[in-house]
Amino acid sequence: MNTTAARRRIVAGNWKMHGSRAETQALLDALLAPAQIDERVTCIVFPPFVYLSDAARTLRGQPIHLGAQDVCAEAPGAYTGEVAAPMLRDVGCDYVLVGHSERRALYGEDDALVARKFAAAQANKLLPILCVGETLAERDADQTYAVVGRQLDAVIAVSGVAALAQAVVAYEPVWAIGTGRTATPQQAQDVHAFIRGRVAALDAKIAAGLRILYGGSVKAGNARELFTQPDVDGGLIGGASLKADEFLAIWSAALADRRAH
Ligand code: 13P
């Protein structure tokens, strides 16, 4: 059975803390140009929180989905500065990133908090994209699988393996994020296969359907080679998602048939 054929690819743009209101609108307008993006490859954009409502209005009825870059693990309440999962749903988000390496490294989010965010997202019908990945020091110390396995297990321990049927995993090696140093297709494939194998040990069917995205210096020039790896189901794009032409080219690369390679 060709288990890759059943998984619809995803190309997602994490805009991080970039752009103004006008730039957000201009980028969306460029992505929505006719005959560009359609549902053959799921496209998701993650603008900053404050632009989500405007983006949702622009994207209504369009083939681009909306997500938030983070979510609070708590229910609505006295948590100054935080944004709760029901609020994200309310403004039109379908997806949310949890455990992005910048949240882990710069804001001290540990595996336990990420697991709670994942659960809060699902409890409110948001589809979490769980980000995992090792630092350069961890890779050099041969800890890649230990780190990625630990990050994945923390979520499974809280939500159960069945929860991965309504989630996406993004492998983002920290050393490849914003550095221009992309993982080789083989390096990405090896870790993706490890992730799928770890899930398969618990539930083969969920593992076969799980979308695993690669993130870290994906560009139009390297996307196709990455996406044609058997366990790479698309990409989570940072810098290159801020340029419409580049992001559209990456989205188009995801249309390529794996079996042609
Ligand atoms: P870059 O594509 O800029 O390396 O960022 C990747 C990333 O962090 C996406 O979430």
Side-chain angles (χ1 to χ4, degrees):
M1 180 174 113
N2 182 352
T3 53
T4 59
R7 294 194 300 269
R8 184 187 304 197
R9 288 178 176 157
I10 297 174
V11 169
N14 174 10
W15 295 355
K16 307 193 180 183
M17 199 172 73
H18 290 294
S20 63
R21 204 171 167 188
E23 284 165 345
T24 297
Q25 187 64 46
L27 185 48
L28 290 175
D29 287 344
L31 297 180
L32 291 172
Q36 297 283 7
I37 286 171
D38 58 48
E39 294 287 357
R40 282 176 295 169
V41 170
T42 300
C43 181
I44 315 164
V45 294
F46 295 85
F49 282 130
V50 291
Y51 303 132
L52 287 172
S53 286
D54 284 350
R57 225 167 289 131
T58 301
L59 293 177
R60 193 163 300 145
Q62 299 286 351
I64 297 180
H65 302 265
L66 188 64
Q69 297 173 17
D70 186 25
V71 62
C72 183
E74 309 298 336
Y79 300 96
T80 301
E82 292 289 286
V83 181
M87 299 171 181
L88 297 175
R89 269 284 349 145
D90 191 28
V91 298
C93 291
D94 291 321
Y95 296 86
V96 65
L97 302 181
V98 297
H100 191 279
S101 70
E102 287 151 17
R103 300 298 315 172
R104 293 180 191 262
L106 303 175
Y107 300 97
E109 295 193 9
D110 60 13
D111 292 338
L113 178 59
V114 172
R116 292 180 56 233
K117 290 187 173 201
F118 182 101
Q122 286 197 330
N124 290 281
K125 308 221 161 10
L126 291 164
L127 204 129
I129 298 186
L130 170 67
C131 303
V132 298
E134 81 288 0
T135 63
L136 188 57
E138 288 163 343
R139 174 164 282 263
D140 287 344
D142 265 340
Q143 291 298 304
T144 298
Y145 294 150
V147 169
V148 169
R150 190 200 73 220
Q151 292 171 336
L152 191 62
D153 289 354
V155 166
I156 295 172
V158 170
S159 294
V161 68
L164 292 178
Q166 296 300 327
V168 172
V169 173
Y171 169 56
E172 297 206 309
V174 178
W175 48 270
I177 295 178
T179 59
R181 188 180 158 190
T182 319
T184 65
Q186 192 58 53
Q187 283 174 323
Q189 167 58 26
D190 287 348
V191 180
H192 285 227
F194 165 79
I195 292 169
R196 199 177 305 287
R198 197 159 182 109
V199 176
L202 301 170
D203 190 314
K205 188 153 173 259
I206 285 174
L210 179 66
R211 268 86 58 85
I212 307 174
L213 313 183
Y214 169 78
S217 299
V218 178
K219 304 178 206 61
N222 60 25
R224 189 163 175 162
E225 217 190 339
L226 287 159
F227 296 165
T228 48
Q229 297 300 311
D231 287 298
V232 177
D233 301 305
L236 179 55
I237 325 299
S241 71
L242 296 167
K243 298 175 215 134
D245 288 355
E246 186 84 6
F247 189 60
L248 288 168
I250 294 169
W251 184 86
S252 298
L255 282 174
D257 186 346
R258 284 188 172 96
R259 285 162 296 182
H261 293 262

